[in-house]
Amino acid sequence: MKYKQLGNTGLLVSRLCFGTMTFGGAGGVYKHIGNVDQAGADELVRACIDGGINFFDTADVYSAGESEKSLGQAFKNLGVPRTEVVLASKGYSRMGQGRNDVGASRGHLMDAVEASLKRLQTDHIDLYQIHATDVLTPIEETMRALDDMVTQGKVRYIGVSNWAAWRIAVANGIATTKDYARFETVQAYYSIAGRDLERELVPLMEYQKLGLLVWSPLAGGLLSGKFSRTNQNPEGSRRSAFDFPIVDKDRAWDVIEAMEPIARSRGCSIARIALAWLLSRNVVTSVIVGAKRLSQLEDNLSAVDVELTEAELASLSEASELPREYPGWMLETQGADRFGPVDLWAGKTR
C-alpha cells in the first residue's frame, strides 16, 4: 500500500480508502447497494487492515446509521487500535421525520455528530464531511459549527462532498478570515468515464491544496468489466437496477474498449485498470472502494501495484477526454503570450 497526505495536513492516509456503503442494506436505495452483515463486515475490514488500508469512510445516512454501527463494531471485534485507523464520516442527510432532522445548520450538525460518535463507538471522528449542499443554511453558520467541533475535539479535520467549486472557495475564504478550521478534502465523483470535475473543481483543489477523495471510481459498476457496448444491462449487476451516477454512456463504451486490451496484456481486470488510472492522477489523494465480497476487495487492492505506461495513459486520455466547453477553450488561448509575443490565433484562422 502507498500513502499520501490528507489535503494540506500532516496526516497520512492509504491511497485506497474502504467505503462501507455496502454494510447494512436497510431498505430504500441501499438494498440495491449491499447487505453485508456483521460477519461479512468483520471479514472485509480485516482484509483491508491486512492489505495496508488505514482509511475508512462511512456516513450517517448509509442504511439509516447501520453502516456506522457495523464499522464501529468491526473495529471492536477485530481489536483494531483506534490510533491505527483514520475514520471518516459525513453529516447533513435526513435522519428523522422532524423539520430539522436534515441539513448543514448548527442545530442539525451538532446532533448528527453526537449520534455518529455513538454509533461508531469512538470519541472522535478524524474527518467529518458535509455530505451535500444546504440551500437554506448560511455557509458562515456551517463553518462556525464545524470549527466548534474541531475545538471540542470531537472532529480532527473537516471536508465537504458534492459542493460546487465556488461554494468551497467561499467557505474556505470565510475560514481564513475568521480563523476557523478549513475544508481539507473534497469527496467527489470521479472516474475515467466521468471527468467532469476537471473543469472547475480540480483547479480549485490544486490551488488550495485540497485532497480529493473519489467516490464511485467504477461509475457505479459500469467499469467493473461486466458492462460493454453489446451488454449494457447484465443480469445481477447493481448498475442494472440502480443507474447511478449519471454517465455519458457512448463515451463510457469507448473508454471500456480502450481499457480492454490493456487489461488483457496485463492479465488483470478492467476494474483494476480504471482504479490505476485514477491513482495516476496527481490531484487524487485516495480512491474509495467498496465491496460486498472478499474477492472484489482483493482485486481492488491489487490496483495500487499497477503502474500504467505513458502510452497506455495517452490511449486512455484520448478515449475519455471531455468535450471542450467555454470558458475552457478561451482560457487555453488567453495568457499564452505572457512570456513573449505569440500569434494567439495561429491555426485558428484561414
Side-chain angles (χ1 to χ4, degrees):
M1 183 55 63
K2 298 177 178 67
Y3 302 85
K4 196 169 182 177
Q5 282 178 267
L6 184 74
N8 194 33
T9 80
L11 196 67
L12 295 177
V13 295
S14 47
R15 296 301 313 278
L16 293 181
C17 171
F18 188 65
T20 62
M21 191 186 287
T22 59
F23 290 6
V29 69
Y30 297 99
K31 69 183 179 183
H32 299 295
I33 295 170
N35 58 353
V36 175
D37 61 13
Q38 191 60 56
D42 291 356
E43 180 182 47
L44 290 168
V45 170
R46 184 191 300 277
C48 287
I49 298 294
D50 291 345
I53 288 178
N54 74 338
F55 197 14
F56 294 82
D57 180 77
T58 185
D60 56 5
V61 74
Y62 295 164
S63 293
E66 292 302 314
S67 172
E68 286 183 322
K69 287 181 183 178
S70 190
L71 180 60
Q73 191 60 46
F75 290 143
K76 281 272 197 232
N77 293 346
L78 298 172
V80 177
R82 180 67 182 85
T83 54
E84 291 188 7
V85 293
V86 177
L87 181 56
S89 193
K90 312 179 200 74
Y92 166 90
S93 301
R94 180 164 288 284
M95 296 299 290
Q97 298 303 311
R99 291 183 183 273
N100 292 308
D101 287 338
V102 63
S105 69
R106 181 182 186 86
H108 178 66
L109 290 178
M110 289 299 188
D111 291 340
V113 75
E114 292 290 353
S116 287
L117 289 169
K118 183 176 180 181
R119 285 189 291 265
L120 289 162
Q121 302 184 59
T122 185
D123 63 357
H124 73 278
I125 293 170
D126 296 291
L127 177 65
Y128 193 63
Q129 304 153 98
I130 303 300
H131 208 167
T133 296
D134 187 332
V135 298
L136 296 180
T137 304
I139 299 175
E140 290 87 348
E141 179 179 341
T142 299
M143 298 306 290
R144 173 62 189 274
L146 292 171
D147 185 69
D148 284 347
M149 291 180 194
V150 173
T151 301
Q152 293 164 4
K154 295 173 182 176
V155 168
R156 300 279 174 86
Y157 302 98
I158 59 172
V160 68
S161 181
N162 305 321
W163 275 26
W166 73 264
R167 188 177 286 270
I168 298 170
V170 168
N172 273 353
I174 291 168
T176 299
T177 301
K178 301 285 189 179
D179 199 25
Y180 294 162
R182 72 160 206 156
F183 288 137
E184 293 293 348
T185 60
V186 177
Q187 188 172 141
Y189 166 62
Y190 190 28
S191 77
I192 192 171
R195 298 172 57 181
D196 306 71
L197 88 170
E198 293 178 8
R199 299 194 191 279
E200 296 288 342
L201 282 164
V202 165
L204 171 71
M205 288 186 279
E206 290 176 336
Y207 180 74
Q208 294 199 347
K209 296 183 179 179
L210 296 166
L212 173 59
L213 313 179
V214 176
W215 63 260
S216 204
L218 300 181
L222 193 69
L223 307 178
S224 64
K226 299 176 184 177
F227 290 80
S228 68
R229 198 183 301 272
T230 57
N231 186 20
Q232 297 187 15
N233 289 291
E235 188 176 349
S237 172
R238 182 182 94 190
R239 179 95 200 194
S240 296
F242 181 46
D243 195 19
F244 182 84
I246 295 171
V247 173
D248 181 330
K249 298 288 181 60
D250 288 335
R251 193 185 310 142
W253 307 140
D254 291 342
V255 168
I256 290 170
E257 288 164 4
M259 289 193 292
E260 283 174 344
I262 297 174
R264 278 198 304 270
S265 69
R266 291 173 173 271
C268 70
S269 67
I270 287 175
R272 209 181 299 179
I273 299 301
L275 294 174
W277 180 85
L278 280 169
L279 292 169
S280 74
R281 313 298 286 179
N282 288 333
V283 73
V284 173
T285 299
S286 192
V287 176
I288 302 172
V289 297
K292 291 184 285 187
R293 299 182 302 277
L294 191 58
S295 58
Q296 290 176 313
L297 177 59
E298 290 171 342
D299 187 68
N300 290 344
L301 282 168
S302 300
V304 296
D305 298 321
V306 177
E307 292 193 17
L308 298 170
T309 67
E310 290 299 320
E312 289 169 336
L313 287 170
S315 171
L316 295 177
S317 290
E318 181 180 357
S320 63
E321 187 176 15
L322 289 170
R324 299 173 79 196
E325 287 187 358
Y326 179 84
W329 51 257
M330 191 65 185
L331 297 177
E332 291 170 8
T333 298
Q334 293 175 329
D337 61 348
R338 289 289 281 115
F339 289 99
V342 172
D343 182 356
L344 297 176
W345 304 104
K348 296 183 175 68
T349 58
R350 297 183 186 181

